[in-house]
Amino acid sequence: MLDVGVIGAGRAGVVMAAALADAGHRIVGLSTTSERNRERVEAMLPGVPVSEIPQIVANSSLVVLAVPDEALPVLVDGMSAAGLWRPGQIVMHLAAGYGVGVLSSAVACGVIPIALRPNLVFTGTSIDRQRLRDTTATVTCPAPVLPIAQALAIELGCEPIVIAEEDRAAYAEALGVVTTFSRAVVEQATGILRNIGVENPTAVIASVAKTSVSDALSRGQWPQAPLTADEEDV
């Protein structure tokens, strides 16, 4: 069992804390400055304190950095400059666009670095705990640390997939394409239907969207020749 502290109690941070608690780890605290996030912690993790970063790090054997990608480098370097890290601590971040290089100042203090990102869009609700069990998690870390990273992914319920340090930017781009374009397509389609007077456009396109994505994913799994006209569904 690890003592886990989470820096950032947004949608991803609180779900990761809850999932690690489900796996048998002890959550020592989460940090946030947002009242909304405090309420989220109370709802998802009753009894777990919201604490200051130095206190959380001092009491944790695993520190999860659940902050936006753009905030991660400044946070890590600031914590390193403040001397908060302890040798042997596991430090894991969730930022898709970074590998473990962003943790270099913490590594210089003796921490064990892991980049682990579950491949889903977090809602910050209990539904994510089930979704974690149906998805994969990308992991990037030094080779000797890989068994730890893979074990953490499995404890979350995810299938671990290893991504090389130099490929993290491309991986983040792929996630961004899926997220941005799927939202844009749904918004455009529902807008068209709303303009012609359909009261519940989501109900009209929901099954089409889900089956289209499912079909596209199945085709993306294996290389296939393009369909000819008579093979297309009518």
Side-chain angles (χ1 to χ4, degrees), residues 7-113:
I7 310 303
R11 288 177 293 180
V14 71
V15 170
M16 291 291 287
L20 288 166
D22 289 344
H25 300 293
R26 187 171 76 95
I27 310 303
V28 301
L30 295 89
S31 73
T32 184
T33 57
S34 162
E35 185 59 35
R36 181 179 181 182
N37 287 346
R38 286 177 179 270
E39 293 172 357
R40 185 178 281 125
V41 172
E42 291 174 3
M44 292 276 288
L45 296 158
V48 174
V50 173
S51 307
E52 298 297 324
I53 290 177
Q55 181 182 354
I56 290 173
V57 177
N59 294 327
S60 300
S61 51
L62 166 62
V63 179
V64 179
L65 304 178
V67 298
D69 287 30
E70 61 272 16
L72 184 61
V74 173
L75 174 66
V76 173
D77 291 347
M79 294 172 69
S80 300
L84 299 185
W85 305 118
R86 290 186 288 106
Q89 272 182 320
I90 302 170
V91 178
M92 181 174 79
H93 76 73
L94 311 181
Y98 291 104
V100 293
V102 72
L103 301 175
S104 58
S105 64
V107 171
C109 299
V111 309
I112 299 170

Side-chain angles (χ1 to χ4, degrees), residues 39-187:
E39 293 172 357
R40 185 178 281 125
V41 172
E42 291 174 3
M44 292 276 288
L45 296 158
V48 174
V50 173
S51 307
E52 298 297 324
I53 290 177
Q55 181 182 354
I56 290 173
V57 177
N59 294 327
S60 300
S61 51
L62 166 62
V63 179
V64 179
L65 304 178
V67 298
D69 287 30
E70 61 272 16
L72 184 61
V74 173
L75 174 66
V76 173
D77 291 347
M79 294 172 69
S80 300
L84 299 185
W85 305 118
R86 290 186 288 106
Q89 272 182 320
I90 302 170
V91 178
M92 181 174 79
H93 76 73
L94 311 181
Y98 291 104
V100 293
V102 72
L103 301 175
S104 58
S105 64
V107 171
C109 299
V111 309
I112 299 170
I114 295 174
L116 186 153
R117 169 71 191 190
N119 294 312
L120 79 162
V121 176
F122 287 95
T123 66
T125 65
S126 58
I127 194 172
D128 290 339
R129 293 158 95 162
Q130 177 57 47
R131 288 177 172 173
L132 280 171
R133 302 185 186 103
D134 298 324
T135 191
T136 58
T138 54
V139 296
T140 302
C141 61
V145 184
L146 187 57
I148 299 174
Q150 290 175 318
L152 286 169
I154 291 169
E155 286 185 339
L156 292 168
C158 304
E159 176 189 352
I161 295 178
V162 178
I163 297 288
E165 179 82 14
E166 62 270 20
D167 293 331
R168 291 292 294 203
Y171 156 68
E173 181 183 5
L175 291 191
V177 167
V178 171
T179 304
T180 301
F181 282 93
S182 59
R183 286 175 176 168
V185 167
V186 169
E187 289 172 1

Side-chain angles (χ1 to χ4, degrees), residues 198-225:
V198 176
E199 293 184 0
N200 188 0
T202 302
V204 175
I205 69 165
S207 293
V208 175
K210 290 175 183 177
T211 53
S212 295
V213 170
S214 179
D215 181 64
L217 289 171
S218 67
R219 294 181 185 280
Q221 184 69 24
W222 306 105
Q224 296 185 16

